[in-house]
Amino acid sequence: MSVHQLTLGDVLGEHRRGRPLDVAAVDGDVRLTYPELDARVDRLANALAGAGVEKGDRVLWLGQNSFRILELLLASGRLGAILCPANWRQSADELAYVLDDLTPRAVVWEESEAVAEAREGWSGTATWLKSGDEYEEFLAAGADGAPAAPVTEDLPVLALYTAAFDGRPGAALLSHRALIAHSEALLHQRQMENGFTFLACGPMFHVGTNMFVLATFLLGGKNVFTPAYEPKEVCRLIEAEKCTQAFLFGPMIDGLVAANEGGQYDLSSLRFVSHTPEWDAMITVDDSPWCASKMGGYGQTEVGGMLTFLGLGIGGQGYAGRSSTLVTVRILDANGVEVAPGEVGEICARGWSLFSGYHNRPELNAQKAIGGYHHTGDLGRREPDGTLTFIGPKLRMIKSANENIYPAEVERALKTHPSVADAAVIGVPDDRFGQTVKAVVVLKPDAEVSEDAIIEHVRGEIASYKKPRHVAFTAAIPKKGYTPDYDALDAEFGGGAYPGS
Amino acid sequence: MSVHQLTLGDVLGEHRRGRPLDVAAVDGDVRLTYPELDARVDRLANALAGAGVEKGDRVLWLGQNSFRILELLLASGRLGAILCPANWRQSADELAYVLDDLTPRAVVWEESEAVAEAREGWSGTATWLKSGDEYEEFLAAGADGAPAAPVTEDLPVLALYTAAFDGRPGAALLSHRALIAHSEALLHQRQMENGFTFLACGPMFHVGTNMFVLATFLLGGKNVFTPAYEPKEVCRLIEAEKCTQAFLFGPMIDGLVAANEGGQYDLSSLRFVSHTPEWDAMITVDDSPWCASKMGGYGQTEVGGMLTFLGLGIGGQGYAGRSSTLVTVRILDANGVEVAPGEVGEICARGWSLFSGYHNRPELNAQKAIGGYHHTGDLGRREPDGTLTFIGPKLRMIKSANENIYPAEVERALKTHPSVADAAVIGVPDDRFGQTVKAVVVLKPDAEVSEDAIIEHVRGEIASYKKPRHVAFTAAIPKKGYTPDYDALDAEFGGGAYPGS
């Protein structure tokens, strides 16, 4: 073993020695010090090995938040295996897809009809353990002591399902090294210091909650787990465990303010983002770069969480700030050539926190890593001061007179018009240019704007060749999740002749 | 190239894109933005390549502090070569040793008689460049654009001469990866944030100054270079460049307080460690873990700088705090077995910031890395609360009745006696036990203490078998640098029969 290696198992071992009295995990009645967590992880790893889990194998968690996700992650890591905490609220069909795609060797699950149905229909073989007594008996039967499996930091250890690039969700694989590197960058940006306590009240099948659980773990802090966001219980836990931070966004914060009307809970241990006067009065407003920038930046599961931090460019021109100190970012065109500042291209990245590809997608992985840079599938722009702006997903490209035009960029420009409520952009066949840009626009109530005025507005915002040649007005943009349903728009408004089609 | 790689060259490229307007380096009249630094580094790298510098080759700097050390480091890094900034104040003999040991391909030097003498006596071949016009002409002749050499982060890029383990100083080799990892840990502990400005007024042949230059560089901050510590000039630079931090320790701080009597310089931009009321009134006292703990911890060149930070264990039992988040530490006995908390053993470490061995010392390197852990050669103890205490260098070991006893541990116990001014411990031959412990003690003026009282005192501090059987009183302990001259002590007080001797 090289003297340079560091795995999650090494981190846990260091905390066992360095924090014998410190609490690692709290969950309901469960309260584990680092040595207690370490001993459970050893037994769990040995039990999983006994159930046939080997290096590279997947372990699947189907349930709500639990300290068991952390211990399954660490136990999988000790074996060179991979834990996937998946969204248990999916339909039986979606869960069946996950089982087929991930082919786990072991599944730990919480009571759910959909899970039971997916299990019944699955032809694969795995050890199924119900979280609770069955899991505890399994763990207790494991031998003491760390398993002998040699684990290196480049092995994947966490799998998180994320957006569909080829129409199916993919399990992004994150290595020990990627998780430790991302955690370290977060320790810095968030100024997470000795004694930090994190309340995991967001979903742990999502990178946003996991990244703080892992940074807290790397630091040797305390993670508090609660099954799901429940405002009163979150308030109670913040007070009881003196939480420094919880996984919270706007509406979740409003929920806490309402739940704590009258100030029955002391939330002053929370050092967090300023939100409303009521909220700011309840907590301690934090001035770390992460909190001062209102958690600004750009990220995705495939980069371990955050790729850029607004905290590294507060006051700059781009609202995604600058690259994390452990990555390098380039804005590339379709040929892999860096575009000039001010031009839109694909956000591409290299560095320590990047994922190791999607599970079982060799072709997609090769395509995403072409040229030695991870291609995020998102569009961005480097501003003149060097800061970055996230434009939108690179869902498709229009080619007009040999120029590449990304709908997301034109849509952003359209939406800056004061009368435009929503907009989407498609390419329509054109004899002379191949394609031309067509805007589909939803006006605000009672607004009246001409086609020409819309086109002129866009011309003032971005390069002239990207402006629409045609504008259609409509009542609502059809959507697929958060993004326009381009196929439906093409069908309705005459789109076609896309490059490669 | 893997999407996971990150070298110093990648970091510089990221800053060129992300900080086109930000100043990277200031030195006298020189003021370089990141794009300007990047362009100079490219030309310098190409010029060095033209002079025959290849992957693995060494470039030697013999001079005072300069921005050229940073650009030589980055240019060497672009070629896979290694920069060594060495102590130019050494004698001609010592410099001759460095030349023979390092066999540099290029030497950049500042006017110095000792350097000229060492050069004349050296039989090796290198390109010699005098810092100043000759260096600038050499650089200007280099081609634009990054050299094509493929560089990976595991390659050494910085060499720093450090303590003699085998009687000769060794050049500790630090890789891109080690420097980036150590810098990131420092960004966190020191809360170095966007806009950080560091004044390099300590010697850059030492890891202490370099580690802050590199962390500032990783962050994309501003490094201000000054040839050496000169109190008035340091005050002037802090005010002029609004420095956030400088390389300062106790007596250096006192020097600034004296130089700034009357408050002619505004030092309020400095966010630093509390020292005296006068000092605290001049600066902004900083509450980051690094400053709040008064820069406490344990480190050495071979671990990239700091291995442990007191900031991760303020208020704990051990005054070295806890391991940096990117390393793991074990206290091992002579057989490589971990000792129990409270017991003294060698501080051993593994992790991202560790060095890549000493240049040209294969046997020593194998010995230092035995069992996959770097052996620091220093003694430490894990306290019951998990924090660490640094005991002293493991210079030698006494073996008494099969028990290992380290002189440094016994010396520490002796020095806690109120009447003891100084102490050293040797092993004397013993028919029954092989060796027994003998203390050589210097009492404070007018103090009177019996041999038995000294022995009883030590018995109360550490395990009984480690206590001295004999005590000799003397006027002064002979020293070699900061440590006792054990050979002289053995000769004078009858030491001998050491294990392995």
Side-chain angles (χ1 to χ4, degrees):
Chain A
M1 180 69 70
S2 143
V3 301
H4 302 115
Q5 282 283 316
L6 192 72
T7 64
L8 293 182
D10 292 322
V11 173
L12 179 57
E14 184 60 35
H15 293 332
R16 182 191 69 224
R17 297 187 290 276
R19 299 189 178 271
L21 312 171
D22 290 6
V23 174
V26 175
D27 188 350
D29 295 336
V30 174
R31 213 173 172 82
L32 300 173
T33 63
Y34 274 101
E36 288 165 349
L37 176 64
D38 182 66
R40 282 178 61 93
V41 165
D42 276 347
R43 287 198 292 275
L44 181 56
N46 288 319
L48 287 169
V53 174
E54 293 178 5
K55 182 170 153 178
D57 284 347
R58 279 79 54 208
V59 175
L60 177 63
W61 169 268
L62 292 172
Q64 292 185 283
N65 285 358
S66 166
F67 75 103
R68 289 183 181 128
I69 299 176
L70 179 59
E71 70 184 19
L72 279 164
L73 175 75
L74 296 169
S76 301
R78 286 245 160 110
L79 299 170
I82 300 160
L83 176 73
C84 176
N87 184 351
W88 76 318
R89 301 217 168 198
Q90 296 178 91
S91 68
D93 273 3
E94 289 168 317
L95 290 169
Y97 166 76
V98 166
L99 287 169
D100 281 339
D101 183 60
L102 200 70
T103 54
R105 179 78 65 170
V107 184
V108 185
W109 64 297
E110 290 183 345
E111 191 59 54
S112 136
E113 268 179 47
V115 173
E117 192 186 325
R119 177 184 181 177
E120 214 173 276
W122 187 47
S123 60
T125 312
T127 298
W128 287 73
L129 296 164
K130 201 178 264 188
S131 184
D133 291 347
E134 195 177 13
Y135 173 94
E136 287 298 324
E137 279 161 31
F138 176 82
L139 184 152
D144 287 333
V151 176
T152 51
E153 64 186 40
D154 58 312
L155 292 177
V157 61
L158 178 65
L160 295 173
Y161 273 93
T162 184
F165 285 101
D166 55 358
R168 303 173 304 159
L173 301 175
L174 292 155
S175 66
H176 293 260
R177 173 174 141 105
L179 296 177
I180 291 171
H182 188 278
S183 295
E184 186 68 29
L186 208 54
L187 291 185
H188 171 227
Q189 285 296 309
R190 173 56 186 87
Q191 295 185 345
M192 295 167 71
E193 309 301 356
N194 203 34
F196 197 91
T197 295
F198 179 66
L199 174 57
C201 58
M204 288 186 67
F205 53 79
H206 187 277
V207 75
T209 305
N210 263 299
M211 71 186 193
F212 274 104
V213 168
L214 288 164
T216 303
F217 169 73
L218 181 67
L219 181 67
K222 178 169 73 171
N223 273 300
V224 181
F225 299 88
T226 188
Y229 172 78
E230 199 287 300
K232 282 265 174 213
E233 177 64 2
V234 167
C235 288
R236 190 190 70 74
L237 284 168
I238 290 170
E239 176 178 292
E241 299 296 339
K242 299 203 185 338
C243 298
T244 323
Q245 186 174 318
F247 183 84
L248 297 172
F249 277 96
M252 298 170 86
I253 296 178
D254 295 332
L256 295 194
V257 170
N260 196 29
E261 217 193 326
Q264 62 191 113
Y265 298 104
D266 176 4
L267 309 186
S268 64
S269 64
L270 210 66
R271 298 182 60 91
F272 203 58
V273 177
S274 171
H275 183 62
T276 57
E278 294 79 9
W279 173 249
D280 292 2
M282 287 178 187
I283 66 156
T284 305
V285 173
D286 189 78
D287 64 356
S288 66
W290 174 253
C291 291
S293 71
K294 302 218 170 183
M295 311 187 277
Y298 162 79
Q300 61 173 207
T301 305
E302 291 87 339
V303 299
M306 302 303 293
L307 185 70
T308 76
F309 288 104
L310 179 53
L312 287 165
I314 293 178
Q317 294 163 330
Y319 67 85
R322 291 193 175 89
S323 307
S324 158
T325 40
L326 298 178
V327 301
T328 172
V329 168
R330 288 187 144 153
I331 309 295
L332 303 182
D333 70 13
N335 301 316
V337 177
E338 198 162 355
V339 303
E343 292 295 313
V344 170
E346 186 168 1
I347 301 171
C348 296
R350 179 143 59 79
W352 291 4
S353 63
L354 292 196
F355 79 146
S356 308
Y358 304 98
H359 172 65
N360 202 22
R361 297 274 200 290
E363 283 173 32
L364 179 60
N365 291 341
Q367 190 187 320
K368 298 281 281 184
I370 204 159
Y373 271 79
H374 164 59
H375 288 57
T376 63
D378 283 325
L379 299 172
R381 185 172 61 210
R382 185 76 76 167
E383 306 296 352
D385 69 355
T387 53
L388 291 155
T389 297
F390 164 65
I391 301 292
K394 182 191 162 193
L395 296 168
R396 48 165 55 176
M397 198 175 78
I398 297 165
K399 197 137 195 162
S400 183
N402 228 24
E403 297 280 7
N404 297 331
I405 300 166
Y406 298 108
E409 188 185 6
V410 186
E411 288 161 7
R412 249 177 100 82
L414 284 162
K415 289 177 194 168
T416 62
H417 190 289
S419 298
V420 170
D422 199 2
V425 161
I426 58 173
V428 292
D430 184 278
D431 284 347
R432 188 164 157 217
F433 298 118
Q435 283 188 299
T436 53
V437 174
K438 181 169 191 172
V440 183
V441 168
V442 181
L443 292 179
K444 289 186 182 164
D446 304 326
E448 274 184 54
V449 196
S450 71
E451 187 173 344
D452 283 351
I454 295 279
I455 293 171
E456 274 313 297
H457 174 78
V458 174
R459 193 215 295 271
E461 296 282 315
I462 54 178
S464 177
Y465 71 84
K466 298 176 186 169
K467 70 175 186 295
R469 304 268 166 179
H470 320 279
V471 178
F473 294 98
T474 187
I477 304 287
K479 297 279 165 97
K480 258 186 175 173
Y482 293 105
T483 55
D485 182 344
Y486 289 109
D487 292 333
L489 286 163
D490 284 345
E492 188 175 346
F493 297 98
Y498 291 96
S501 70
Chain B
M1 181 68 70
S2 142
V3 301
H4 302 115
Q5 283 284 315
L6 192 71
T7 64
L8 293 183
D10 292 322
V11 173
L12 178 56
E14 183 60 36
H15 293 332
R16 182 191 70 224
R17 297 187 291 275
R19 298 186 177 273
L21 312 170
D22 290 6
V23 174
V26 175
D27 188 350
D29 295 336
V30 174
R31 211 172 175 82
L32 300 173
T33 63
Y34 274 100
E36 287 165 349
L37 176 64
D38 182 66
R40 280 178 63 91
V41 165
D42 276 347
R43 287 198 292 274
L44 181 56
N46 288 321
L48 287 169
V53 175
E54 292 178 5
K55 183 171 153 178
D57 284 348
R58 280 79 53 207
V59 175
L60 177 62
W61 169 267
L62 292 173
Q64 291 186 285
N65 286 358
S66 166
F67 76 103
R68 290 184 180 127
I69 299 177
L70 179 60
E71 69 183 20
L72 279 163
L73 175 75
L74 295 170
S76 301
R78 286 246 161 111
L79 299 171
I82 301 161
L83 175 74
C84 177
N87 185 351
W88 77 318
R89 302 216 166 199
Q90 296 177 92
S91 68
D93 273 2
E94 289 168 319
L95 289 169
Y97 165 76
V98 166
L99 287 169
D100 281 339
D101 183 59
L102 200 70
T103 55
R105 179 79 64 170
V107 184
V108 185
W109 64 297
E110 290 182 345
E111 190 59 55
S112 139
E113 270 180 43
V115 173
E117 192 186 326
R119 176 184 182 178
E120 213 171 278
W122 187 47
S123 59
T125 313
T127 299
W128 287 74
L129 296 165
K130 202 177 264 189
S131 185
D133 291 346
E134 195 176 15
Y135 173 93
E136 288 298 324
E137 280 161 31
F138 177 81
L139 184 151
D144 287 333
V151 176
T152 51
E153 64 185 41
D154 58 311
L155 292 178
V157 61
L158 178 66
L160 294 174
Y161 274 92
T162 183
F165 285 100
D166 54 357
R168 303 175 302 161
L173 301 174
L174 292 156
S175 66
H176 293 260
R177 174 175 141 104
L179 296 177
I180 291 172
H182 188 278
S183 295
E184 185 67 30
L186 208 55
L187 291 186
H188 171 226
Q189 284 296 308
R190 174 56 187 85
Q191 295 184 346
M192 294 167 72
E193 309 302 356
N194 203 35
F196 197 92
T197 295
F198 178 66
L199 174 57
C201 57
M204 287 187 67
F205 54 79
H206 188 277
V207 75
T209 305
N210 264 299
M211 72 185 191
F212 274 104
V213 169
L214 288 165
T216 302
F217 169 72
L218 181 67
L219 182 67
K222 178 169 73 171
N223 273 299
V224 180
F225 300 89
T226 188
Y229 171 79
E230 198 288 299
K232 282 265 175 214
E233 175 65 0
V234 166
C235 288
R236 190 190 70 74
L237 284 168
I238 290 170
E239 176 179 290
E241 299 295 340
K242 298 203 184 339
C243 298
T244 324
Q245 186 175 317
F247 184 84
L248 297 171
F249 278 96
M252 298 171 86
I253 296 177
D254 295 332
L256 295 194
V257 170
N260 195 30
E261 218 191 326
Q264 61 190 116
Y265 299 104
D266 176 3
L267 309 186
S268 63
S269 64
L270 210 68
R271 299 183 59 90
F272 203 58
V273 176
S274 170
H275 183 63
T276 59
E278 293 79 9
W279 172 249
D280 293 1
M282 287 178 187
I283 66 156
T284 305
V285 173
D286 189 76
D287 64 356
S288 67
W290 175 254
C291 290
S293 71
K294 302 216 169 184
M295 311 185 276
Y298 162 79
Q300 61 173 207
T301 306
E302 291 87 340
V303 299
M306 302 302 293
L307 186 68
T308 76
F309 289 104
L310 179 52
L312 287 165
I314 293 178
Q317 294 164 331
Y319 66 84
R322 291 195 175 88
S323 308
S324 158
T325 39
L326 298 178
V327 302
T328 172
V329 168
R330 289 187 142 152
I331 309 295
L332 303 182
D333 71 13
N335 302 315
V337 177
E338 196 162 357
V339 303
E343 292 294 312
V344 170
E346 185 168 1
I347 301 172
C348 296
R350 178 144 59 79
W352 291 4
S353 63
L354 292 196
F355 78 146
S356 308
Y358 305 98
H359 173 66
N360 202 21
R361 297 275 200 289
E363 282 173 34
L364 179 60
N365 291 340
Q367 190 186 319
K368 298 282 283 184
I370 203 160
Y373 272 79
H374 164 60
H375 288 58
T376 63
D378 284 325
L379 298 171
R381 186 172 62 210
R382 186 75 77 165
E383 306 296 352
D385 69 355
T387 53
L388 291 155
T389 298
F390 164 65
I391 300 293
K394 182 191 161 193
L395 296 168
R396 47 164 55 177
M397 197 175 75
I398 297 165
K399 197 136 196 162
S400 182
N402 229 21
E403 296 280 8
N404 298 331
I405 301 166
Y406 299 108
E409 187 184 6
V410 186
E411 288 161 6
R412 247 178 101 82
L414 284 162
K415 288 177 193 169
T416 63
H417 190 287
S419 299
V420 170
D422 199 0
V425 161
I426 58 172
V428 293
D430 184 278
D431 286 345
R432 194 168 152 212
F433 298 118
Q435 284 186 299
T436 54
V437 174
K438 183 170 190 171
V440 183
V441 168
V442 181
L443 293 179
K444 290 184 180 163
D446 304 325
E448 275 185 52
V449 195
S450 72
E451 185 174 344
D452 284 350
I454 295 279
I455 294 171
E456 274 312 297
H457 174 77
V458 174
R459 192 217 295 272
E461 296 281 316
I462 53 177
S464 177
Y465 71 85
K466 299 175 186 170
K467 71 174 185 297
R469 304 269 167 179
H470 321 279
V471 179
F473 295 97
T474 190
I477 305 287
K479 296 279 165 96
K480 261 188 173 169
Y482 293 104
T483 55
D485 181 344
Y486 289 109
D487 292 335
L489 286 163
D490 283 344
E492 187 175 351
F493 297 99
Y498 291 94
S501 69

